[in-house]
Amino acid sequence: MTARGRLRVLLGAAPGVGKTCTMLEEGHRLAAEGRDVVIAVVETHRRADTARRVEGLARLPLRRHEHRGVTLEEMDLEAVLERAPDVALVDELAHTNAPGAAHAKRWQDVEDLLAAGIDVISTVNIQHIESLHDVVEQITGVPQRETVPDGFLRRADQIEVIDLAPQALRDRLRSGLVYPAERVDAALSNYFRLGNLTALRELALLWLADEVDQALKDYRSEHSIDSRWEARERVVVALTGGSEGEALLRRGARVAARSAGGDLIAVHVTSQDGLLHSSPGALTRQRALVEELGGTYHQVVGEDIPTSLVGFARSVDATQLVIGVSRRGRLAAALTGPGIGATVVRESGDIDVHIVTHSAAGGRLALPRIGGALTPARRLAGFVLALLGGPLLTAALLALRTEESITSDVLSYQLLVVVVALTGGIWPALFAALLSGLTLDFFFIDPLHTISIAEPHHLLALLLYVTIAVLVSVVVDRAARRTRAARRAEAESELLQTVAGSVLRGDDAIQALVDRTREAFQLDAVEVRDEDGTVHASSGAPLPESGTTGLPLAQDARLVLHGGDLRASERRLLSVVAAQIDAAIEHRRLAATAEEIIPIAASDRVRGALLSALSHDLRRPLAAAATAVGGLRTADGHLSPEDTRELLLTAEESLDSLAALVGDLLDVSRLQAGVLTITSLPTDPASAIAQALDELELGPTAVRLALAHDEHTAEADPVLLKRALVNLLANAARYSPPDRPVTLTTSTFGSRLEIRIIDHGPGIPENRHNDVFVPFQRLGDTDNTSGLGLGLALSRGFVEAMHGTLNPEDTPGGGLTMVVSLPLSPPTPQETP
């Protein structure tokens, strides 16, 4: 039987990190060692460095497939199997084969090669892993259709990350080592953004780290290794939901920080009965603290807390376990035996246990409070059962009495005491115990029909009756208390969960809180109103003039209730709801304030841009008009008709320019007065671009267009967008060399539409990018004869007024790229026939 081949996968965070080159270099190394190495398929992407590494290795021809009139070349699987090399180099593992190939996916071809005993070296990017492609799409905005199943990759004998720092990859891209020059600029500003590459790199390293951890666990399982291997510190912190949790977490974080790469893992063990033994609010705060400290939070269910805790610690290969010292008092410890801490230490084995003291440790020397968790109705039922059950039981026992029945008589009365304790609690149980003891002594113990305790063991029996009644009633009381707490916690959880779900679904947060408050507390009406009477939300019937209860809120508002008195426990939950309503009111007010500020800020940006550019824009037309008029005045009729017409034309053009600027100033004044507003419409950028090119009289030789926004439109003011593009194109045309036309491209990225004006001029140093938006700033250029423009400061003001951004970037190969980013228009609903 042929041994299965070995698979080595070279994993990259993004295209261009060097996976294919590494694969080819490894092929040369193995060939030099005498191995039979062939290239089954390699994608050079027209990269000279990759093509150079192909030379010297045996390369099998590709198989051609005809599909819809197009010839596609794929790896010839049959040829590779027939050649049967020692090692096959297969590039791009996630590739989809052409129709008619042996398999739909290239990784399936690799599976056949491995089954034939051929070792395979292949490459894949992190975005092509099945379980991660949706995460990558969220990061980059680019969907991936070609994926490799995680299970196939996990079966690889070796996975190696080909790592390259994000900035180094961007430098390679700028140098033209990854994509052709015409694709570089768009790639840098979209998929190959620094943040994208950093996130993808982290994703690749984390995925490989998880695979290494799994491989280590598999190895230990296969070799029956139960001892702990300290590959890195993993500190597990046990949380009870008490106030000591934050101190334990910070201690655990310090322990984890002592070694590089230490992990902080917090765990809370919940009992299987589902009853709450902790504060949900405290656990929520502690969970947030875990995330701030860079750890992870887990919750497990287990009947035996120490066993569950140690079991979880072993499952995550913990090296340290941090628990708090017991909060029980000395009496409780003496009565109930060793606590959780001692049990954890005994069962932890080779896991180091840190028992940390805290302010809640030790407790007070106090007996358990005999409280009343049972309802008055149940207590009354207990007394009734004792009063009725006692005589009935006595009558039945007397009818069946024999000399040997004393034992069954005693047990029958004992059963009555237990039943009364289960029904009504401690006081009915004590009453039943005393009544049954006296009844036994009067009717069944010699001398009969007298109440006397002649024998010591009779007194002991009565004390046992009372003791059993107390113990059973305490158990019943605690069970009732926990049941009520569990029901209350379930109601609280349901209320908060429903409110959170309503908010996440887009419902009004205040209205959702008010509705659920009325339903949860069974009130007739609930209302949230300001001190001046403004109603934020209401639920139920209209509030009456009297008989209401008001709860003051922090936001100068009140929560008004009608329909019943609330118990103390319900008021506690109501205070939580009130805090949520406070936060919702504040959020609504802040959102309203932000909405009011948006048009003011937009108007201010436009006004500021216009005013700051006045001297720059007014200087030339004023000087030209004054010169022309002065020339006409001083010529005293000595000018030729042609010269006169030229001066008049100059004066007319300059005065038209001044009129346009004055119109802008008037628009700003109207904007500040609230008369003129920025009109945001679904705008096709192609239309604004065409108008700008017409105004500047720039033809195809001066500007090269590459519009790729398809049918998408931007949410923008068409007039302001055209004005901004006119100025940006004028600047780009001015600085771009005559033999290198300006390039204007459009594209969509996520929820934004981007317009890029690319020149190949001298460019601007990166540390001075923001200086180009300073009024009057020409970065050393003193030429003021370049035509009328509103300046880049004005262009940025216009773009930002439309909720967009205008940012400069370096053009690969030299020059400056201006990127206008605008929000995409929302899709219009399809009309139904």
Side-chain angles (χ1 to χ4, degrees), residues 610-782:
L610 278 168
L611 294 178
S612 64
L614 272 179
S615 62
H616 166 60
D617 295 327
L618 284 172
R619 183 183 304 146
R620 180 178 175 274
L622 274 175
T627 301
V629 173
L632 289 171
R633 182 177 56 82
T634 58
D636 196 20
H638 297 295
L639 293 175
S640 66
E642 291 78 9
D643 293 338
T644 301
R645 281 194 300 271
E646 185 67 29
L647 289 174
L648 288 173
L649 181 61
T650 301
E652 181 182 8
E653 291 176 348
S654 301
L655 292 174
D656 287 342
S657 299
L658 286 174
L661 285 176
V662 172
D664 290 337
L665 290 175
L666 291 175
D667 285 345
V668 170
S669 300
R670 296 190 186 99
L671 188 63
Q672 296 303 308
V675 179
L676 179 67
T677 58
I678 297 173
T679 305
S680 291
L681 302 171
T683 303
D684 186 355
S687 176
I689 292 168
Q691 295 176 28
L693 293 175
D694 288 342
E695 181 171 327
L696 295 172
E697 298 181 353
L698 295 175
T701 58
V703 179
R704 184 173 64 86
L705 299 179
L707 308 184
H709 60 280
D710 299 328
E711 301 296 327
H712 296 287
T713 59
E715 197 70 15
D717 186 310
V719 176
L720 294 184
L721 178 58
K722 172 202 158 186
R723 300 274 300 280
L725 291 176
V726 165
N727 192 52
L728 295 173
L729 283 167
N731 278 278
R734 179 184 180 198
Y735 290 109
S736 200
D739 58 337
R740 301 289 301 277
V742 174
T743 302
L744 191 152
T745 68
T746 61
S747 61
T748 57
F749 182 76
S751 61
R752 311 288 291 183
L753 189 148
E754 293 185 347
I755 304 172
R756 314 179 72 82
I757 296 96
I758 307 163
D759 70 59
H760 300 279
I764 299 172
E766 187 173 356
N767 60 349
R768 301 201 65 186
H769 275 181
N770 286 329
D771 293 346
V772 299
F773 299 105
V774 177
F776 320 116
Q777 179 62 261
R778 292 175 180 268
L779 299 184
D781 183 18
T782 58

Side-chain angles (χ1 to χ4, degrees), residues 513-588:
L513 284 163
V514 169
D515 290 338
R516 293 301 297 163
T517 300
R518 183 180 64 82
E519 295 171 4
F521 299 113
Q522 299 180 356
L523 300 172
D524 295 333
V526 179
E527 188 174 274
V528 177
R529 63 171 67 161
D530 284 340
E531 297 295 341
D532 59 3
T534 303
V535 177
H536 288 281
S538 62
S539 179
L543 284 173
E545 297 294 333
S546 60
T548 60
T549 304
L551 181 66
L553 303 175
Q555 298 296 322
D556 296 328
R558 293 180 67 80
L559 177 62
V560 185
L561 313 172
H562 173 68
D565 296 329
L566 300 180
R567 296 187 296 272
S569 59
E570 293 175 332
R571 289 185 175 276
R572 180 181 64 82
L573 177 57
L574 186 62
S575 65
V576 176
V577 176
Q580 296 286 341
I581 293 176
D582 267 331
I585 293 176
E586 183 181 11
H587 181 270
R588 176 183 287 184

